[in-house]
Amino acid sequence: QGPISGVNKEIAILQCHGDCDPLVPLMFGSLTVEKLKSMINPANVTFRTYSGMMHSSCIEEMMDIKRFIDKHLPPVD
């Protein structure tokens, strides 16, 4: 695929990854985030890792996702 342009170049992305994920190693998450940063504005890409988290989720991750949604999406009435 070619480079991303227009409004999509400024899209905000939150990528989350557990540092103990046995299915998708952290190295692949790190490579993915670097590729994303090369395609869009790197200032808009956030990569969060969670200590001890496997291929699952945790409260800290859910709170980060909530903050991201609250920041980037309009409120729902």
Side-chain angles (χ1 to χ4, degrees):
Q1 296 272 345
I4 295 173
S5 61
V7 295
N8 290 332
K9 188 89 174 163
E10 295 301 319
I11 192 168
I13 294 176
L14 170 63
Q15 181 181 336
C16 302
H17 207 106
D19 68 353
C20 293
D21 189 331
L23 298 178
V24 183
L26 182 57
M27 176 186 70
F28 292 139
S30 297
L31 291 171
T32 301
V33 80
E34 290 310 312
K35 181 64 175 176
L36 287 169
K37 287 180 177 181
S38 75
M39 297 171 67
I40 67 169
N41 181 348
N44 293 342
V45 179
T46 302
F47 183 56
R48 299 249 191 247
T49 60
Y50 303 92
S51 178
M53 190 172 86
M54 298 182 75
H55 195 73
S56 60
S57 63
C58 65
I59 296 297
E60 183 182 3
E61 180 189 27
M62 293 297 107
M63 294 307 298
D64 286 342
I65 293 168
K66 180 187 182 318
R67 282 189 287 273
F68 180 84
I69 290 170
D70 288 346
K71 179 179 179 182
H72 295 286
L73 295 178
V76 177
D77 294 330

